[in-house]
Amino acid sequence: MILVTGATGKIGSAAVRLLGKVRTLVRTPASGADEVVGDFSRPDTLDAALRGIDTLLLIGPAVAAQTAVLDRAAAHGVRHVVRITNHKAHADSPVARRREHARIDAHLKASGMAYTLLAPNFFMQNLLALAPEIAATGGFSGSAGDGRIGMIDAHDVAAAAAVIAAAPQPHGGRTYLLTGPELVTFADVAREWASATGRPVGYRRISVEEHRAAMESNGVPEAGSNAQVFGLLAEGDGAWLSDDFGAITGREPRGLRAFLADCVGGKQSRA
Ligand SMILES: NC(=O)c1ccc[n+]([C@@H]2O[C@H](COP(=O)([O-])OP(=O)(O)OC[C@H]3O[C@@H](n4cnc5c(N)ncnc54)[C@H](OP(=O)(O)O)[C@@H]3O)[C@@H](O)[C@H]2O)c1
């Protein structure tokens, strides 16, 4: 039996659809046939969720309580953990949530359970937060400059996670780097968004400080660390590609054009 956490999120919801029969851990009751209502920070709920589980697909924010989930998983005899981390999860990262990811990854490696880490680049779904600004102003602002980024569709992260969770044994001890098929800039995003919608879209390059202030005034959570990441992206933090997605799934990852055509184009079929 597989347990999926973060099952209401971008990766988790897609992974559950692909895997079919799984148990989920959710904070708010949904409609899952086999779901446990709980929280990483409530150990009693973790025991109910982990009973009888062989494989844990651990998805969620980089909060310290994920280490408690790992401890409970080991105690319940979970054999393999597939965990979504960050592509720059290092103990000395300037970004707090990346340091926390590194700490949780180290905890997992020392747990005695088999593990697979999936380390994705920037999610294309992050771009959808630009929609209100584009609708209101005909463009968007950002501080990633002309940094090139190997953006990936979070549904492809889910596809890789589902393949591994369904048959984890050959993937034990591996860290996979996940990207889309190409390096793109935010100028490319503006051009492809315009092409998908048939309306011009401008890209206003602003400083990290201006970006942080704009996100704060719009009530964006973690505006400070998000602006910090955009500044790093401008310096090439996301300028890398990997073939790992194709090796795991046997197909090509989705590119930016297809993603935007699907999500903001005429049909707006999915996010
Ligand atoms: N965005 C990026 O560009 C990017 C790039 C690389 C790596 N990542 C990593 O990818 C992961 C995010 O995946 P995602 O995009 O699928 O996340 P998401 O859409 O933000 O969903 C987060 C999920 O975690 C659940 N959750 C939050 N706090 C929880 C708690 N205390 N206990 C149990 N569940 C909790 C949420 O439940 P609710 O629905 O109840 O809130 C939700 O299901 C993070 O680890 C992130 O660092 C993101």
Side-chain angles (χ1 to χ4, degrees):
M1 173 68 92
I2 300 170
L3 173 68
V4 180
T5 74
T8 55
K10 293 180 284 294
I11 301 170
S13 57
V16 168
R17 279 195 298 277
L18 291 167
L19 283 164
K21 188 175 153 29
V22 295
R23 185 179 301 160
T24 57
L25 178 76
V26 293
R27 295 199 294 179
T28 309
S31 55
D34 187 357
E35 74 180 11
V36 173
V37 177
D39 192 292
F40 293 157
S41 58
R42 286 176 46 209
D44 55 318
T45 64
L46 300 179
D47 287 335
L50 286 162
R51 206 160 285 128
I53 293 297
D54 310 302
T55 302
L56 168 63
L57 175 48
L58 182 56
I59 309 168
V63 289
Q66 276 204 35
T67 59
V69 181
L70 292 171
D71 292 343
R72 295 314 304 151
H76 278 276
V78 168
R79 287 206 284 267
H80 198 115
V81 178
V82 183
R83 176 171 193 275
I84 309 298
T85 182
N86 182 279
H87 65 109
K88 294 285 169 65
H90 301 305
D92 58 355
S93 169
V95 183
R97 63 178 178 241
R98 293 178 172 183
R99 292 195 298 276
E100 193 60 29
H101 267 306
R103 209 176 66 77
I104 302 164
D105 290 344
H107 197 85
L108 173 55
K109 288 176 180 175
S111 71
M113 295 180 287
Y115 67 88
T116 307
L117 295 172
L118 296 181
N121 208 323
F122 186 95
F123 293 172
M124 292 179 190
Q125 275 77 358
N126 299 341
L127 302 172
L128 302 178
L130 301 171
E133 188 183 353
I134 292 173
T137 70
F140 64 87
S141 48
S143 56
D146 291 303
R148 301 195 306 157
I149 307 164
M151 295 185 192
I152 183 163
D153 181 346
H155 288 202
D156 281 340
V157 179
V163 167
I164 296 167
Q169 206 267 335
H171 304 284
R174 301 289 306 271
T175 296
Y176 294 114
L177 300 169
L178 299 179
T179 70
E182 70 223 329
L183 294 176
V184 293
T185 67
F186 273 83
D188 295 325
V189 170
R191 196 183 57 249
E192 295 297 348
W193 196 300
S195 156
T197 58
R199 290 185 293 277
V201 174
Y203 171 37
R204 299 177 284 277
R205 293 162 183 77
I206 58 176
S207 70
V208 168
E209 191 44 46
E210 289 169 318
H211 200 182
R212 184 189 59 73
M215 286 193 280
E216 271 175 3
S217 69
N218 287 328
V220 174
E222 300 186 56
S225 56
N226 285 336
Q228 193 183 14
V229 168
F230 276 92
L232 292 172
L233 291 171
E235 294 165 11
D237 181 82
W240 58 275
L241 293 173
S242 158
D243 294 330
D244 286 352
F245 176 83
I248 296 164
T249 65
R251 68 167 171 87
E252 283 295 300
R254 179 173 287 251
L256 179 67
R257 172 168 294 185
F259 173 82
L260 288 176
D262 254 10
C263 295
V264 305
K267 288 189 235 152
Q268 301 208 356
S269 57
R270 65 167 205 130

